[in-house]
Amino acid sequence: MNTLQNVRMILDVDTGIDDSMAILLALKTKHIKVEGITTVFGNTDVVQATRNTLQVIELSGVDYEVPVAMGAAKPLFRDWRGPVTHIHGDNGIGNCELPQPKGKAIAESAAQFIVRKVNENPHELTLVFVGRMTNLAIALAQDPSIASKVKRLVIMGGAVKVPGNVTPVAEANIYGDPEAAHRVFESGIPITLVGLDVTMKTVIGEEHRRLLMDSPAPGNERAAAYIGEAFQFYFGAYDKQNGFYGAPLHDPLAVAVAAYPDLVTTEDLYISIETKGTMSYGATLADFRRTVPVTNTAVAFEVNSPRFLDYFINTLKS
C-alpha cells in the first residue's frame, strides 16, 4: 500500500458508531497526526457527540494530546431534526458504556479552532468531515481566506449515482444541513467526495467483527471489546433497517482516503447542493456534461474494498 507520509488532519465528527471507528482508525494510523477533532450535531446532540469523542480518544491509547472543540448544535438556518437513535442508540455509540472522560473540550469553538489551525499551518492540513458541514461553513464565514489554505478536504457525504439514505436522492450528512454544504462546495476548497457511491461497497459483517475482537494486541483489550459491542448494535440496526446483518464503513473510509488516496478512483465534476427543492432537498447534483469548463470536486465512484478492509481491521487491532 502506497503510504502518504505525515498526514496532518483535523477530523470533524458527530460521534456515532461509525464516527467512533473513524476516530480510532485515524489515531491508530501511524502516519496520521490528528491535530484536533471538532464536533457537531447529527447522529446525536453536540454535547453528547463531544463526550463520546473524548471517551473514544482516551480508549484509543493515543500517545499525544488531541484537542477537541465543540461546534454547532443545529443547522445554519433550520431546526435540528433530532438524534438518529435507531441506528446509533440513545447515547450515539450503540448504548455502550465507556468510562467518564478525563479530558474536556477546549474553550474555542469548532469554527474558531479550524480558522486558527488552518491559518497557522497554511497548505499543511487535511480536513476530514464525516458529519454535517456546519462548522466549516461557519469557519468560512469567519475567514473566507482559509479556503485557499486547506491542503485538502475529504467529505463523507452525498449520493451522486446511487440512491440517498434519508430521501430517494439525499444522503444524511448533506441533508442534515444543505445550506452549509452548499457554502462549502462553492468555497473553492479542494474537495474529495467519499459518498454512498463508494461507502456502500465497504460492508463488514460478523466475521470481520469477530476478527476485530479476537486476540487483541496488549493494551487494546478495552478498545476491542468496545468495537465488538458497538458493531453488534450497529449490525442489528442495519438488519432492521436494510435487511442485512452488517454495516457499511461510511466514516472510516473517508479517513482511509485521506491517508491512502489511491484506495478510490475519482472523477472531477462540478457538484451543486440543492437547497430549495421539495422532493430534491439535500440532493448532491453532479454536472456530467462534458462542456462544463470548471470542476470543484473529485468524486469517488470506485473503491478497492478488500484493501480498505484489510487496512481497517489490521489498524484497529494494533
Side-chain angles (χ1 to χ4, degrees), residues 31 64 73 99 121 140 152-153 199-200 222 271 275 299:
H31 64 282
Y64 59 88
N121 303 277
L140 287 162
R152 187 162 62 123
L153 167 63
T199 65
M200 293 302 294
R222 285 171 59 194
I271 294 291
T275 62
V299 182

Short mmCIF file of all heavy atoms in Angstrom, two decimals, residues 31 64 73 99 121 140 152-153 199-200 222 271 275 299:
data_model
loop_
_atom_site.label_atom_id
_atom_site.label_comp_id
_atom_site.label_asym_id
_atom_site.label_seq_id
_atom_site.Cartn_x
_atom_site.Cartn_y
_atom_site.Cartn_z
N HIS A 31 1.00 7.13 10.26
CA HIS A 31 1.43 8.32 9.52
C HIS A 31 0.37 9.42 9.51
O HIS A 31 0.51 10.40 8.78
CB HIS A 31 1.85 7.96 8.10
CG HIS A 31 0.76 7.40 7.25
ND1 HIS A 31 0.32 6.11 7.35
CD2 HIS A 31 0.01 7.97 6.27
CE1 HIS A 31 -0.63 5.89 6.47
NE2 HIS A 31 -0.84 7.01 5.81
N TYR A 64 -0.36 11.15 22.22
CA TYR A 64 -0.19 12.60 22.13
C TYR A 64 -1.54 13.25 22.41
O TYR A 64 -2.59 12.62 22.34
CB TYR A 64 0.38 13.03 20.78
CG TYR A 64 -0.46 12.64 19.57
CD1 TYR A 64 -1.47 13.47 19.09
CD2 TYR A 64 -0.20 11.45 18.87
CE1 TYR A 64 -2.22 13.12 17.99
CE2 TYR A 64 -0.94 11.10 17.76
CZ TYR A 64 -1.96 11.95 17.32
OH TYR A 64 -2.69 11.60 16.22
N ALA A 73 -24.68 23.32 17.25
CA ALA A 73 -25.73 22.50 17.86
C ALA A 73 -26.93 22.33 16.94
O ALA A 73 -27.83 21.53 17.25
CB ALA A 73 -26.18 23.12 19.18
N PRO A 99 -15.92 4.70 30.12
CA PRO A 99 -15.60 5.50 31.32
C PRO A 99 -15.78 6.99 31.08
O PRO A 99 -15.62 7.48 29.95
CB PRO A 99 -14.12 5.17 31.58
CG PRO A 99 -13.89 3.86 30.89
CD PRO A 99 -14.79 3.85 29.70
N ASN A 121 -1.11 26.92 9.84
CA ASN A 121 -0.47 25.84 9.08
C ASN A 121 -0.97 25.85 7.62
O ASN A 121 -1.56 24.87 7.16
CB ASN A 121 -0.79 24.48 9.72
CG ASN A 121 -0.36 24.39 11.16
OD1 ASN A 121 0.79 24.10 11.46
ND2 ASN A 121 -1.30 24.64 12.08
N LEU A 140 -15.72 29.32 7.35
CA LEU A 140 -15.54 30.05 6.09
C LEU A 140 -16.17 31.43 6.15
O LEU A 140 -15.67 32.38 5.54
CB LEU A 140 -16.13 29.25 4.93
CG LEU A 140 -15.31 28.02 4.51
CD1 LEU A 140 -16.16 27.07 3.69
CD2 LEU A 140 -14.08 28.46 3.72
N ARG A 152 -6.42 19.85 1.63
CA ARG A 152 -7.47 19.06 1.00
C ARG A 152 -8.59 18.87 2.00
O ARG A 152 -8.37 18.81 3.21
CB ARG A 152 -6.93 17.70 0.56
CG ARG A 152 -7.91 16.87 -0.27
CD ARG A 152 -7.21 15.77 -1.03
NE ARG A 152 -6.55 14.83 -0.16
CZ ARG A 152 -6.79 13.51 -0.16
NH1 ARG A 152 -7.67 13.01 -0.98
NH2 ARG A 152 -6.14 12.70 0.64
N LEU A 153 -9.82 18.77 1.49
CA LEU A 153 -10.99 18.46 2.30
C LEU A 153 -11.57 17.15 1.79
O LEU A 153 -11.93 17.04 0.62
CB LEU A 153 -12.03 19.58 2.19
CG LEU A 153 -13.43 19.29 2.72
CD1 LEU A 153 -13.42 19.01 4.21
CD2 LEU A 153 -14.38 20.45 2.39
N THR A 199 -19.06 4.20 -0.21
CA THR A 199 -19.14 3.65 1.15
C THR A 199 -20.06 2.44 1.23
O THR A 199 -19.84 1.54 2.04
CB THR A 199 -19.59 4.71 2.17
OG1 THR A 199 -20.93 5.12 1.90
CG2 THR A 199 -18.66 5.91 2.16
N MET A 200 -21.08 2.40 0.38
CA MET A 200 -22.00 1.25 0.40
C MET A 200 -21.35 -0.01 -0.17
O MET A 200 -21.93 -1.09 -0.11
CB MET A 200 -23.28 1.57 -0.36
CG MET A 200 -24.14 2.64 0.31
SD MET A 200 -24.65 2.22 2.01
CE MET A 200 -25.73 0.82 1.70
N ARG A 222 -9.65 -3.21 25.86
CA ARG A 222 -10.88 -2.44 26.06
C ARG A 222 -11.41 -1.89 24.75
O ARG A 222 -12.62 -1.86 24.51
CB ARG A 222 -10.64 -1.30 27.06
CG ARG A 222 -10.54 -1.79 28.50
CD ARG A 222 -10.08 -0.68 29.44
NE ARG A 222 -10.99 0.45 29.42
CZ ARG A 222 -10.70 1.65 29.93
NH1 ARG A 222 -9.51 1.87 30.48
NH2 ARG A 222 -11.57 2.62 29.89
N ILE A 271 -20.01 19.88 -8.52
CA ILE A 271 -21.06 19.44 -7.60
C ILE A 271 -21.81 20.65 -7.09
O ILE A 271 -21.22 21.65 -6.65
CB ILE A 271 -20.46 18.66 -6.41
CG1 ILE A 271 -19.85 17.34 -6.89
CG2 ILE A 271 -21.51 18.41 -5.33
CD1 ILE A 271 -20.83 16.31 -7.38
N THR A 275 -30.85 23.23 -2.31
CA THR A 275 -31.33 23.78 -1.03
C THR A 275 -32.76 24.30 -1.11
O THR A 275 -33.31 24.71 -0.09
CB THR A 275 -30.43 24.93 -0.56
OG1 THR A 275 -30.47 25.99 -1.54
CG2 THR A 275 -29.00 24.47 -0.36
N VAL A 299 -14.91 13.25 -7.23
CA VAL A 299 -15.96 12.38 -6.70
C VAL A 299 -15.52 10.93 -6.82
O VAL A 299 -15.16 10.47 -7.91
CB VAL A 299 -17.29 12.58 -7.45
CG1 VAL A 299 -18.38 11.70 -6.85
CG2 VAL A 299 -17.72 14.05 -7.41
#
